[in-house]
Amino acid sequence: LEVGAGKGGFARGMAKRHADTAYFAMERVTDCVVLAAEGAMETGLSNLRFVIDTADNLTRIFAPGTVSKIFLNFSDPWPKARHEKRRLTYRTFLAIYKKILKKDGAIHFKTDNRGLFDFSLEEFKDFGMRMEKLTFDLHNSEYMEGNVMTEYEKRFSSMGVPINRVECYFD
């Protein structure tokens, strides 16, 4: 499940790479979902579905313990402190993710925004999550192999902006 899928490039890439796995791309902006779905139809992907909704409704859409991975890619950083509750890595969202993730499920988080990344690492730690494969420069790390890039990731990395990445698990 990718939350905040935008135009769906990442979800399409994952669905194409892993044809035997079901993927869901969630986005709240209808126009983005239409573009993403059109792109998926053009490539003939039958293992990718789209959800037009927001992350606070995930428990209404997915049953407990049914999602193996949640991808948070280049989420809106909501830079003002008063907006931190809107960040997809805020503790209320982590509680929602915990409900729908399988026991050994993971959250994969990537962003170019170092402030959001640092905030998120603190949220993950405070929530008691185990962090693995953490890097502040994905494209120059051992974790680059198998990476599927988002549209934002392609743009920012081409400008030399380091990409932050981490995988998180609920213990």
Side-chain angles (χ1 to χ4, degrees):
L1 166 66
E2 182 182 15
V3 178
K7 296 176 187 169
F10 175 82
R12 284 194 311 275
M14 293 296 286
K16 185 176 180 181
R17 185 174 286 182
H18 306 283
D20 59 337
T21 303
Y23 282 90
F24 292 86
M26 174 182 260
E27 175 59 50
R28 64 183 177 89
V29 180
T30 304
D31 290 347
C32 286
V33 175
V34 170
L35 289 172
E38 287 172 349
M41 288 190 308
E42 289 172 6
T43 55
L45 296 171
S46 61
N47 62 329
L48 177 57
R49 301 287 183 264
F50 297 91
V51 179
I52 302 172
D53 212 328
T54 56
D56 51 333
N57 290 321
L58 281 168
T59 56
R60 295 180 193 157
I61 299 165
F62 295 95
T66 58
V67 176
S68 59
K69 292 179 186 169
I70 295 174
F71 298 94
L72 303 174
N73 296 316
F74 298 86
S75 307
D76 189 333
W78 293 102
K80 295 180 181 175
R82 70 177 185 262
H83 293 148
E84 71 181 11
K85 292 179 181 181
R86 296 179 183 181
R87 297 174 188 155
L88 292 176
T89 54
Y90 188 70
R91 63 197 69 154
T92 54
F93 289 111
L94 297 179
I96 291 169
Y97 305 149
K98 185 175 183 176
K99 289 177 184 175
I100 65 169
L101 276 171
K102 294 180 177 181
K103 185 171 175 38
D104 59 347
I107 296 171
H108 293 228
F109 177 55
K110 289 194 291 188
T111 183
D112 65 303
N113 187 299
R114 183 60 188 265
L116 174 61
F117 195 67
D118 290 344
F119 167 86
S120 301
L121 293 177
E122 284 298 313
E123 288 293 292
F124 299 147
K125 185 181 84 162
D126 291 348
F127 210 82
M129 300 180 78
R130 177 173 37 93
M131 291 177 266
E132 297 181 3
K133 299 182 181 177
L134 187 149
T135 180
F136 297 100
D137 191 0
L138 172 61
H139 291 247
N140 290 306
S141 77
E142 62 189 292
Y143 309 121
M144 186 58 186
E145 185 178 330
N147 182 54
V148 174
M149 290 204 289
T150 71
E151 293 91 346
Y152 282 113
E153 185 173 356
K154 288 175 187 172
R155 182 181 337 150
F156 292 126
S157 64
S158 72
M159 295 168 30
V161 177
I163 306 302
N164 306 283
R165 181 194 186 278
V166 67
E167 291 178 19
C168 301
Y169 300 84
F170 295 100
D171 286 329

